[in-house]
Amino acid sequence: MNRTQKQSRTAILILRLIAGLVVLILAFLIGYIFITGLPNVSWRFLTSPAKAFTAGGGIGIQLFNSIYLLILAMLISLPIALGASIYLNEYAKDNWFTSTIRTAIEILSSLPSVVVGLFGFLLFVIQFNYGFSIISGALTLTIFNLPLLTRNIEEALAGVSDDQRQGGLGLGLSKYETIIHIVVPAALPGIISGIILCSGRVFGEAAALIYTAGQSAPALNFGDWNPFNIDSPLSPLRPAETLAVHIWKINSEGIMPDLTKVSSGAAAVLVLAILIFNLSARYIGRKVFEKMTSVN
């Protein structure tokens, strides 16, 4: 064995050890959260409202708020991200304007969520007078989520072979028709994976929502689904404490009698939901790809 081979094997061994260490740290964190939290999770815990000064509360309203905010944020950000990705990958020329857009996307994607939250507070809560509400939180999450979602969709579109584009144009389709009927469907597995991964990132966000969606979870009337009524679950103008914000709030206040039980249970639910988002992104993306390519 020569010197180069020894160096190569040593480098590979070091990389494997580093990767193994990362996996062990992640497994320890997830295992600790699940071991301490999952025994406290029950159907009653998932559906009952929180209690501030007495024991026995749950996370029902906070869990619903998290899901509702996620849906609204994705409904707003997905069309914008898809349109921006199509423009950047299919239409934009390589010039200073395109370079400026890409640089702006990179800068926005690297901003701390607290900064995005403060921006949302100044713009949506104060300037637009939406107050601490679901719509303020959803619009702020759109700003937070848009750069990463745009990049993910653009990479999925860039992964489509140019031969498919040329084939569509050769069949007499316009460029727009080729993009809509050939390129986007071919990139669908990557687009779906990117959407689900971004959804998991949004679902676990707390800092940006503290300043926009608020830190309170008023009682909701689940018999009233009129979004124009303030106590309706679908009202976009009501404050909405999410699950991640709830975990931060009860630990910072420290007044809940069963703080450790509720906090560990909520953390386990939050981590489990994010794991489901990440694992389902890989599974759904692979299944969609197999179906579209007829791979069994």
Side-chain angles (χ1 to χ4, degrees):
M1 183 183 297
N2 57 37
R3 183 179 178 182
T4 304
Q5 290 177 329
K6 288 182 179 180
Q7 290 177 343
S8 177
R9 290 194 174 185
T10 302
I12 293 174
L13 178 61
I14 293 174
L15 292 175
R16 286 178 177 175
L17 290 174
I18 294 174
L21 180 62
V22 172
V23 172
L24 285 176
I25 294 174
L26 180 62
F28 173 77
L29 291 174
I30 295 177
Y32 177 79
I33 292 172
F34 283 169
I35 291 172
T36 58
L38 286 180
N40 302 316
V41 177
S42 63
W43 179 251
R44 182 179 179 278
F45 180 76
L46 294 174
T47 56
S48 60
K51 297 179 180 179
F53 303 104
T54 57
I59 57 171
I61 295 178
Q62 287 79 8
L63 186 58
F64 176 84
N65 289 339
S66 298
I67 297 173
Y68 187 35
L69 258 169
L70 170 63
I71 293 173
L72 283 182
M74 295 307 296
L75 285 176
I76 298 171
S77 59
L78 181 56
I80 302 174
L82 182 60
S85 302
I86 291 175
Y87 169 76
L88 289 172
N89 192 73
E90 303 295 333
Y91 290 101
K93 297 179 180 179
D94 189 11
N95 52 30
W96 67 270
F97 181 70
T98 305
S99 178
T100 302
I101 294 177
R102 294 186 189 279
T103 302
I105 291 175
E106 293 291 336
I107 294 173
L108 284 173
S109 64
S110 61
L111 284 177
S113 57
V114 174
V115 175
V116 179
L118 288 173
F119 174 78
F121 171 75
L122 294 174
L123 182 62
F124 303 122
V125 176
I126 296 180
Q127 189 66 33
F128 288 178
N129 201 28
Y130 291 152
F132 292 106
S133 61
I134 287 180
I135 189 63
S136 296
L139 292 172
T140 303
L141 287 179
T142 298
I143 298 174
F144 176 73
N145 191 42
L146 200 56
L148 183 60
L149 186 58
T150 301
R151 289 173 58 189
N152 287 339
I153 297 177
E154 185 183 358
E155 289 176 2
L157 294 174
V160 178
S161 172
D162 286 336
D163 293 338
Q164 297 189 51
R165 295 178 175 85
Q166 296 300 326
L169 295 174
L171 292 173
L173 299 177
S174 65
K175 186 171 184 178
Y176 172 78
E177 291 173 330
T178 302
I179 293 170
I180 297 300
H181 298 293
I182 296 179
V183 177
V184 172
L188 197 58
I191 294 175
I192 293 175
S193 298
I195 291 172
I196 298 175
L197 289 174
C198 289
S199 298
R201 183 170 180 250
V202 168
F203 190 82
E205 179 55 36
L209 296 175
I210 292 173
Y211 303 103
T212 52
Q215 304 174 38
S216 61
L220 301 178
N221 180 12
F222 284 93
D224 181 9
W225 295 95
N226 185 353
F228 296 102
N229 294 336
I230 195 64
D231 61 344
S232 169
L234 297 182
S235 173
L237 299 178
R238 64 177 177 85
E241 180 187 56
T242 61
L243 191 57
V245 174
H246 183 62
I247 295 172
W248 170 83
K249 179 184 175 183
I250 62 177
N251 280 280
S252 61
E253 292 178 344
I255 59 176
M256 187 177 290
D258 53 347
L259 165 64
T260 303
K261 179 179 178 181
V262 175
S263 178
S264 59
V269 173
L270 183 63
V271 172
L272 181 61
I274 295 174
L275 279 176
I276 291 174
F277 277 120
N278 284 269
L279 295 176
S280 62
R282 297 174 61 89
Y283 176 79
I284 295 175
R286 185 175 67 251
K287 287 298 181 181
V288 171
F289 176 78
E290 291 176 355
K291 184 176 181 180
M292 295 185 64
T293 56
S294 299
V295 177
N296 295 321

